Each structure stands twice: as structure tokens, then as C-alpha cells.
Amino acid sequence: MTVDTAMSDTSTIQVGDTSLELPVVVGTENEHAIDIGTLRAKTGYITLDSGYGNTGSCKSSITYIDGEKGILRYRGYPIEVLAEHSTFLEVAWLLIYGELPKADELKRFEDEIKNHAMLHQDMRHHFEGFPATAHPMAVLSSMINATSCYHPEMLEMGAIDESFPSLVAKLIAKVATIAAFSHKKSVGEPQRYPDPSLGYCDNFLHGMFSRPYGRYTAEPEVVRALDQFLMLHADHEQNCSTSTVRMVGSSQANLFASMASGVCALWGPLHGGANQRCIEMLKMIRREKLDVKKVVERVKRKEFKLMGFGHRVYKSSDPRATILKQASDDLLSKLGVDDPLLPIAQELEAVARSDDYFLERNLYPNVDFYSGITLRAIGIPVEMFTVMFAIGRMPGWIAHWKEQHENPSARISRPRQVYTGATERDYTPIGQRA
Ligand code: ACO
């Protein structure tokens, strides 16, 4: 097979005796893709692309990443600008509806989120059914799905209609309450009801840390750090969990079922679960007084991976990691916290960044490397780290689910395979098998 994509709007693929002219799709940032939609029908061939490293699964106008240059933009706005000037809920609106909200739109959105933060009272019984040792990601995905049982309109919804904004507000609001409830369950404390007078992050922190005998009031720096953390995690185009949400949503599964699937995909240690694993790795180095250089040698011998390092798309730096590193430094100094894991992380980064193994493979700290330091300073327990990522990613998942549902040419996701199993065999009755 030969491919000729010379400067034209088609590319010619030679498969055996068949020469096939295929359209080239060009994105607004001049990314080029060959549309192979007719390949199988015309040639009988399919493409094989393990891990989808070369496959565009959709056209999307939500988030742009240039992994070589370390660029990340939500709806055209650089992440650095948003991180400095915006808020999580403003960014959520931007991602879902495509434009920055006007003042009255944002106010309505924030108010609706405050008003929907309560869970149906009956849902408290579900929390009682989980053991205290349940991982909060398991609780989160289960409870997001369970929420739809209390809002049957969510199951009915096919097309995006006028009830959609309210549905979005319910989801974003309730996810934070579910997360805080699951934490309270795990530490054996009574759950705290959300307080509609508080903003999104304040309310979450109140749910996490207020006790029957003492109300927690967050420092403004802590609230801002959490808000920024959520913003930086809000979307990242076609990553594993977002692709899962799109895959599940492509069957026209409802919004809540699709979001629950995203939570499950995010949980894995190669994806969002890396933030928990990264801190556990740093703790292990500290606890066992390991020499960082020797740890790096073991990583190079492939005994284990350096968690929080490497990325499928970023090949220079992850801009979220750069912002989070600075944010964690600022937060620690403002709070006067001395985290013993920070110097270990810094040493690990310095050693890895000067080592050929990492340089040749373009392995740099990703978003999960320093996010844990920020979360620890806020007081979030390590088991909750991936839940925090999920709360942040919710607007991105919703935006992708919406974009897919609004696309009239979207089809159910149904990849093909190259079968490598046995060819047709005769059935041997059980007593006659060798
Ligand atoms: N530590 C050590 N070696 C690594 C690491 C790492 N963290 N990441 C990749 N490599 C090595 C691989 O072993 C491979 O080496 P080889 O060429 O000798 O075989 C090479 O670098 C290329 O790596 P791939 O696994 O092909 O990269 P891929 O794009 O498939 O995986 C991933 C990306 C999953 C992020 C990977 O870098 C990884 O496992 N990192 C650690 C987990 C992590 O931090 N995940 C969070 C990612 S960000 C996010 O999802 C929010």
C-alpha cells in the first residue's frame, strides 16, 4: 500500500490493484486527516491502529492541543489565560455552550448549581450500602448512575432540548455533593448538607471538612487553588475517558449513564488514577528512604513506571503541569505548609529531565505529577484525588456528549477488528476430547 498526500485536498491510497482517492480533512489549526470512510467498501481493507495513536474519532470544536508545542486551548482560549482570569464554572459554561457566558448567564448558572446541590433524601440510603472501605471512584460512578433513577426525565431525553441546561446544572452540582458524601462515609462521619449560600468550591470543601461540632470555612487561597485545579482538568479532547463517554453516548445512552462510564475510564492508573499513584509513589520513596537516582534506574529497567510522567499527546511539556507546579508552590508558601513530598518530586523531576531515557522518549511531568501536592495542601485525602479529577472533567465530558448528540451525521461507535483466533473447527463432544 502506498499513500500520496502531496499538497492537495485528496490523498491517493494504493491497495493492491485498487487506487483510491480519499478526501483530506483540514482542521482550523491546519491539522490534516485522511478520511478513510470508503476504504473498506472499495478495497475490503480496514485500518489497524493500536491505542488509536493515528486515528481521529471525530471532528470537534471544543479543545485544541498541540502536543509538540505544549499548547492547550478551550474553545480557542489559552489555558494559561483562563487559569489566571477565569473560574471553573465560567469555563464549564464555555466548554459546554461554546462562548464565555454573559454576566446574567453565569449568575443563573451558578444559582442553579447552588439550588441543585442537594441529593434526593432517599439517596442517602445508597451510601449506607457501601462499606467504609469502598473506593470513592466506585461510589461516584454508581451514584451518578443512581441519580438518574430519581430524575426520570434524564432517561427520556433524546435530543438536546430546553431542559438541557437544567440537567447540566444538576449534574455538575450533584457530583460534588456525591463526592463529599462518599468521603464522609469513608471516614465514618455524618454527611453535611450543601449550603446554597456558598459558591461551588466553598460548598464542596464545607461538605468535605465541616463536622457536626464545627463548621469549616475555607481560606480564599484554598478556594482559588481548588477552582484552578478543576479548571485545569475541565477538558482534554479525545483522551481515554472522554472517548469512553463518546463511545457510550454514541448508543444514545443518557447523559448520566455516559458520565458514569467516563468516571470508570478515568479511574485507571494510566489515566486519571495516576494522581493517586503518583503521591503513593512519592510516599513510598520517603517511607523507605529510597535514593531517587536508584528509583529512576529501576524505572529505566522497566520495573515500574514513573507515575505522573509521560503523555500520549504532549511531547515537550504539559502546560497544565507547569501551571499546577507554580500553583502548588504558591499555595504551600501562602499556607506556610512544608510538604516533605515536594522536594522528592522536584528531585525526581530534575533527575528524570537530565536522563537520556526520558529525553529520548519525550517523557515530562504531566498534569498528575504536581496536582497531588496541591490537593494535599488543601487537605484532600489521597483516595479522593481521582474523584477531584472527575469533578473537574465533568464539563468536558458533558460538552463532548452534547457535541456528539448535536451532530446529525454521528453514528454509533463500532470499530472493527483483525481476527486472529482459530478458523472454523469441528465440535468434539465432551467425552471425546483429548
Ligand atoms: N515512566 C517510564 N517510562 C515510560 C513512562 C513513564 N511514566 N511513560 C512512557 N514510558 C516509556 C514506555 O515504556 C515506552 O518505552 P519503550 O519505547 O522503551 O517501549 C515509551 O516511553 C513510550 O511510551 P508508551 O507507553 O508507548 O506511551 P503511551 O503514549 O502509550 O502512554 C501514558 C502514555 C499512558 C501516559 C504513559 O506515559 C504512562 O503510563 N505514564 C504513567 C502514568 C501516568 O502518569 N498517566 C497519566 C497521563 S495524563 C492523564 O491521563 C490525565
Side-chain angles (χ1 to χ4, degrees):
M1 180 192 292
T2 57
V3 181
D4 173 17
T5 56
M7 300 298 286
S8 72
D9 53 4
T10 61
S11 70
T12 307
I13 296 190
Q14 187 72 34
V15 186
D17 292 337
T18 311
S19 175
L20 187 62
E21 197 159 87
L22 295 169
V24 169
V25 179
V26 184
T28 49
E29 292 284 354
N30 209 28
E31 288 173 306
H32 287 59
I34 302 167
D35 179 346
I36 56 149
T38 57
L39 180 67
R40 185 169 178 278
K42 297 262 174 73
T43 67
Y45 280 57
I46 60 168
T47 55
L48 186 61
D49 184 20
S50 162
Y52 306 124
N54 305 277
T55 299
S57 60
C58 61
K59 294 180 198 166
S60 178
S61 58
I62 300 169
T63 287
Y64 172 69
I65 299 175
D66 181 331
E68 275 69 34
K69 295 189 184 139
I71 292 173
L72 169 61
R73 294 185 202 128
Y74 295 161
R75 301 281 189 184
Y77 296 99
I79 192 68
E80 295 80 4
V81 175
L82 294 171
E84 189 177 347
H85 299 290
S86 190
T87 63
F88 174 59
L89 292 187
E90 184 176 68
V91 160
W93 180 283
L94 171 69
L95 287 168
I96 296 166
Y97 301 111
E99 296 293 339
L100 287 168
K102 298 188 187 76
D104 60 329
E105 289 172 330
L106 184 59
K107 171 88 175 57
R108 265 202 311 280
F109 187 48
E110 288 171 345
D111 286 349
E112 211 170 356
I113 285 174
K114 285 177 185 169
N115 292 335
H116 287 308
M118 288 280 283
L119 303 181
H120 192 288
Q121 185 65 11
D122 290 353
M123 285 187 73
R124 295 186 65 164
H125 301 308
H126 292 285
F127 285 95
E128 282 157 26
F130 292 105
T133 51
H135 195 286
M137 284 296 273
V139 178
L140 184 68
S141 63
S142 312
M143 295 305 283
I144 289 175
N145 240 335
T147 306
S148 67
C149 307
Y150 296 89
H151 300 276
E153 75 278 9
M154 291 167 185
L155 301 175
E156 297 299 318
M157 203 193 61
I160 312 279
D161 59 17
E162 63 284 352
S163 64
F164 186 74
S166 174
L167 217 54
V168 167
K170 278 181 187 157
L171 184 50
I172 291 176
K174 291 182 196 307
V175 157
T177 309
I178 292 170
F181 272 29
S182 73
H183 168 65
K184 285 295 190 195
K185 165 78 191 177
S186 73
V187 292
E189 289 182 11
Q191 285 128 354
R192 293 297 303 243
Y193 287 119
D195 177 345
S197 73
L198 296 176
Y200 190 71
C201 291
D202 280 296
N203 217 347
F204 171 72
L205 293 167
H206 155 66
M208 285 286 292
F209 302 128
S210 284
R211 294 189 155 143
Y213 47 84
R215 192 182 169 101
Y216 172 89
T217 307
E219 298 289 334
E221 293 85 10
V222 169
V223 177
R224 178 63 191 154
L226 176 58
D227 195 79
Q228 200 181 49
F229 168 92
L230 297 176
M231 216 187 312
L232 291 171
H233 286 77
D235 193 43
H236 214 232
E237 51 116 306
Q238 311 308 322
N239 55 81
C240 175
S241 56
T242 304
S243 299
T244 302
V245 166
R246 279 187 175 260
M247 172 77 91
V248 172
S250 78
S251 74
Q252 297 188 354
N254 70 73
L255 183 66
F256 278 54
S258 305
M259 297 305 119
S261 74
V263 173
C264 293
L266 188 73
W267 193 0
L270 297 188
H271 190 16
N275 58 11
Q276 175 175 346
R277 295 294 176 94
C278 178
I279 286 292
E280 285 168 353
M281 176 185 76
L282 297 176
K283 280 183 172 173
M284 181 193 74
I285 293 172
R286 179 163 186 264
R287 192 177 52 244
E288 297 179 15
K289 299 186 176 53
L290 299 178
D291 179 343
V292 164
K293 290 195 184 68
K294 287 189 181 145
V295 170
V296 169
E297 287 310 312
R298 290 175 63 191
V299 169
K300 287 161 61 179
R301 288 199 300 272
K302 310 256 187 215
E303 286 179 32
F304 52 86
K305 278 185 169 174
L306 200 51
M307 299 314 284
F309 256 73
H311 200 276
R312 171 64 59 80
V313 180
Y314 291 121
K315 298 301 169 200
S316 58
S317 65
D318 180 338
R320 304 166 302 172
T322 311
I323 299 169
L324 269 168
K325 185 179 182 186
Q326 185 61 50
S328 66
D329 282 353
D330 292 350
L331 186 64
L332 292 187
S333 70
K334 273 178 196 148
L335 299 180
V337 172
D338 191 11
D339 188 336
L341 299 188
L342 182 60
I344 299 174
Q346 287 166 334
E347 190 185 347
L348 210 45
E349 182 185 353
V351 173
R353 272 183 183 270
S354 58
D355 190 294
D356 281 349
Y357 174 96
F358 294 87
L359 296 173
E360 282 160 11
R361 291 170 178 78
N362 297 314
L363 300 172
Y364 297 93
N366 59 47
V367 69
D368 293 318
F369 196 66
Y370 283 105
S371 65
I373 303 287
T374 302
L375 293 177
R376 270 164 65 88
I378 295 173
I380 308 286
V382 69
E383 304 74 28
M384 287 289 290
F385 281 11
T386 316
V387 168
M388 303 307 297
F389 193 150
I391 297 172
R393 185 53 57 86
M394 206 53 61
W397 290 336
I398 298 169
H400 283 273
W401 188 94
K402 177 171 179 280
E403 184 177 71
Q404 184 179 42
H405 273 66
E406 287 176 334
N407 177 3
S409 56
R411 304 168 72 197
I412 190 165
S413 297
R414 203 312 184 178
R416 289 185 176 266
Q417 64 169 12
V418 175
Y419 175 68
T420 59
T423 53
E424 186 174 357
R425 298 197 266 188
D426 290 331
Y427 177 79
T428 315
I430 190 154
Q432 298 170 24
R433 285 173 208 161

